Amino acid sequence: MSIDMGKPSTAGQASGTGEPPDTGVRAPAAGDRHRLTAVQGLAALSLDAMASVAYGPESIVLVLAAAGAYGMGFTLPVTLAIAALLAVLVASYRQVIAAFPDGGGSYAVAKRHLGRRTSLVAAASLILDYVLNVAVSVTAGVAALTSAFPELYGERVWICLGVLVLVTAVNLRGVVESAKAFLVPTAVFVGSILAMVVVGLFRDGPVSTASAAGHASALGEGATTVGALLLLKAFAAGCSALTGVEAVANAVPSFRAPAARRAQRTEVALGALLGVMLIGLSILIGRFHLQPVAGVTVLAQLADASFGHNAAFYVVQFATMVLLGLAANTSFGGLPVLMSLLARDNHLPHVFALKADRQVHRHGVVWLALVSALLLVFSGGDTNTLVPLFAIGVFIGFTICQVGMVRHWYGERPRGWQAKAALNGFGALLTGVSAVVVTATKFTEGAWLIVVALPLLVLGFEKIHRAYTEIGECLELGRIPRAPHRSRSVVVVPVSGLSRLTSQALDAATSLGDDVLAVTVTHPAPEDRETAEALRRDWELWKPGVELIELSSETRSLGRPLAAYVRKLAQSHPDAQVTVLIPETEPAHLWQRLLQNQRGSVVAHAVRRDTDAVICRLRFRITADAR
């Protein structure tokens, strides 16, 4: 077993100039086919951020509605503040991409500038946010579907799981395949939102209010003032639209060369599109004097007001439903890369660092799907159960990343570093305040689970790291080992009868060892005694030159008697290397494996558990040529 205890390469990290380093290394063309272009990166990694325009403005409106029509007048100022924070984050993550082209986002920044423990907090917060994003996105998309077709409401959990299976299957084929599959829905959604904003700006009033007709208003009565706390809560609620902004920086290695430059272009394009859509929608809310109503989304009312209750209205609704359901793809693009970095740093099992042929971290994809499925079942497919847990993790990650970048500028001190550090410091202040406000306001609604889960994840990372450290010390990794020497070898071959498999097993054993012992386990039952006597008689007739040793077992156990014999053999021959060679057949067809008795697996498990012997499993393939 090979255990890689090494650290990820930092050769590509820049010195803080804001431009990606040019190392002269380019990925081979064959590998680049399975990596992202800038446009594909928007489809693969920005769906979470794009889809947030469906609930970001609504979150602001629902908070300000408590202050009545007067409070609604602050929708645009709050949105502009969020857009300013978005600009700060985009500029910051553009620098993060340049300085950390190996990906990892806030985890990589914190690891380099704030210490290992802080980096683990950032990683844990990102993992929680990514997992919750999958569950929230899928349930929100299915909620839009069941709103249009109420008869499906009772089957929402199964529909959620079906959507999750679809997104998982596409991502197992590769990040480029997922980008191609989701490019059209992304384009339709962005195009319909931008068209709605443009058309709405030319309207003097709403074309239609049919979608809100008959629904109770959620607007407060009689309020004439808006307090700072209410504006702060509205700002924090609207910051849910910023989730997903960090995904591009986390998945830089998924882009084609030059990966950092492509990722930077994707980050800027994402920020520009998201900012335009958020500001445009908030302008329309004020222009149409929109009032939040129960049971109808703000986006649906805006589509009704701009386009009228016609085909264009349903295009917006359908595109929103599809994109919300597929927004989980952002997590599938970013989290497996982050988990691979954690695995390379010995904070997660190394299996998460493995890649498949299409540059897919399949173990990370499957793990994310399984945990998300459990969340969907636990929540009953209800978005409201999951939303209070959402976005807290990403604010923590934002804050840590911004603080780390301040340290980065202070340490590197390129030209104009004071302005860049001030920008990141201001962003850290805003995201930190938002994290505190969101956690405090949603603590009793379920946010306490995040407060508990975050330190538990960090403790888990630490425990895994200690385990790998202990393994490394036992293996003396990093030291030059002693020269190899030859020991006497004893090979034990379990047998149950004479066959071609037995002959090949003894051939292999005599090639491997100095001494070969054939061992069979017998039972006192009459029918078993007859089988044992027949084997002994046939063995004497065959005369293979290998001693047959019989082990008696009163309980019909197979593995324990063999393991006990191997243990005694090792004790009586302390200078010898004991090897257990287990002969097994391998059928030509997968279904035929169900016909096997699995004795080999039983013996291997018992020997591995109770002894230090080497286990060798000899496969005899059942094919047409073998007959």
Side-chain angles (χ1 to χ4, degrees), residues 144-171:
L145 176 65
T146 56
S147 296
F149 304 97
E151 62 273 12
L152 297 177
Y153 184 79
E155 306 297 329
R156 64 190 183 280
V157 174
W158 290 108
I159 298 174
C160 286
L161 293 176
V163 173
L164 179 61
V165 169
L166 172 65
V167 176
T168 303
V170 172
N171 278 275

Side-chain angles (χ1 to χ4, degrees), residues 205-218:
V207 176
S208 170
T209 58
S211 60
H215 294 267
S217 174

Side-chain angles (χ1 to χ4, degrees), residues 285-517:
I285 290 172
R287 188 178 186 85
F288 296 141
H289 304 290
L290 183 144
Q291 297 183 7
V293 297
V296 180
T297 65
V298 168
L299 197 62
Q301 293 186 65
L302 290 176
D304 206 10
S306 293
F307 293 131
H309 209 72
N310 50 29
F313 168 83
Y314 288 102
V315 168
V316 174
Q317 293 304 101
F318 183 76
T320 304
M321 177 191 72
V322 172
L323 205 72
L324 278 169
L326 299 180
N329 195 67
T330 296
S331 296
F332 283 98
L335 181 57
V337 175
L338 174 62
M339 294 178 72
S340 73
L341 294 178
L342 286 166
R344 288 166 57 186
D345 290 341
N346 302 323
H347 295 301
L348 281 180
H350 287 171
V351 70
F352 288 112
L354 300 179
K355 275 188 178 183
D357 294 338
R358 294 173 175 265
Q359 303 296 319
V360 181
H361 296 284
R362 286 185 176 171
H363 292 90
V365 170
V366 172
W367 180 89
L368 174 58
L370 291 176
V371 175
S372 301
L374 290 176
L375 273 177
L376 291 172
V377 173
F378 169 76
S379 66
D382 182 19
T383 307
N384 293 328
T385 304
L386 298 167
V387 166
L389 312 178
F390 193 44
I392 296 174
V394 76
F395 285 141
I396 295 174
F398 282 162
T399 304
I400 291 175
C401 186
Q402 300 281 331
V403 173
M405 288 306 293
V406 172
R407 292 287 300 273
H408 173 78
W409 298 128
Y410 184 79
E412 300 293 341
R413 300 196 179 189
R415 178 177 297 178
W417 70 272
Q418 295 95 336
K420 295 177 180 178
L423 187 66
N424 290 132
F426 181 63
L429 176 64
L430 291 180
T431 54
V433 169
S434 298
V436 172
V437 171
V438 172
T439 303
T441 56
K442 297 184 177 181
F443 188 83
T444 57
E445 300 176 26
W448 63 270
L449 285 172
I450 303 300
V451 177
V452 172
L454 194 62
L456 289 179
L457 268 178
V458 173
L459 290 175
F461 295 152
E462 294 279 21
K463 187 173 182 62
I464 292 172
H465 190 271
R466 283 196 298 270
Y468 275 125
T469 300
E470 292 172 2
I471 293 172
E473 291 174 353
C474 290
L475 295 178
E476 298 182 353
L477 293 178
R479 306 176 193 171
I480 298 176
R482 62 174 175 79
H485 68 282
R486 190 181 185 280
S487 300
R488 181 178 169 225
S489 178
V490 179
V491 182
V492 176
V493 182
V495 298
S496 58
L498 293 187
S499 65
R500 183 177 173 183
L501 177 62
T502 309
S503 176
Q504 289 203 0
L506 293 183
D507 286 344
T510 53
S511 301
L512 291 173
D514 300 309
D515 298 316
V516 178
L517 301 171

Side-chain angles (χ1 to χ4, degrees), residues 14 32 78 100 107 112 121 171 185-186 219 238 266 275 278 280 345 358 392 394 401 469 494 527 566 576 612 616 625:
D32 261 4
V78 171
F100 299 89
Y107 168 69
R112 183 174 175 183
V121 174
N171 278 275
T186 304
L219 202 64
T266 302
L278 288 174
D345 290 341
R358 294 173 175 265
I392 296 174
V394 76
C401 186
T469 300
E527 63 274 14
V566 170
D612 294 326
C616 179
D625 296 336

Side-chain angles (χ1 to χ4, degrees), residues 584-588 593 596 619-623:
E584 298 175 292
T585 58
E586 184 170 311
R593 296 183 185 180
Q596 295 178 284
R619 303 284 185 173
F620 182 83
R621 299 181 184 276
I622 306 297
T623 62

Side-chain angles (χ1 to χ4, degrees), residues 113-134:
H113 296 294
L114 301 178
R116 187 173 62 87
R117 187 65 60 84
T118 306
S119 72
L120 295 181
V121 174
S125 66
L126 286 173
I127 287 176
L128 290 173
D129 183 68
Y130 275 138
V131 172
L132 285 166
N133 172 59
V134 174

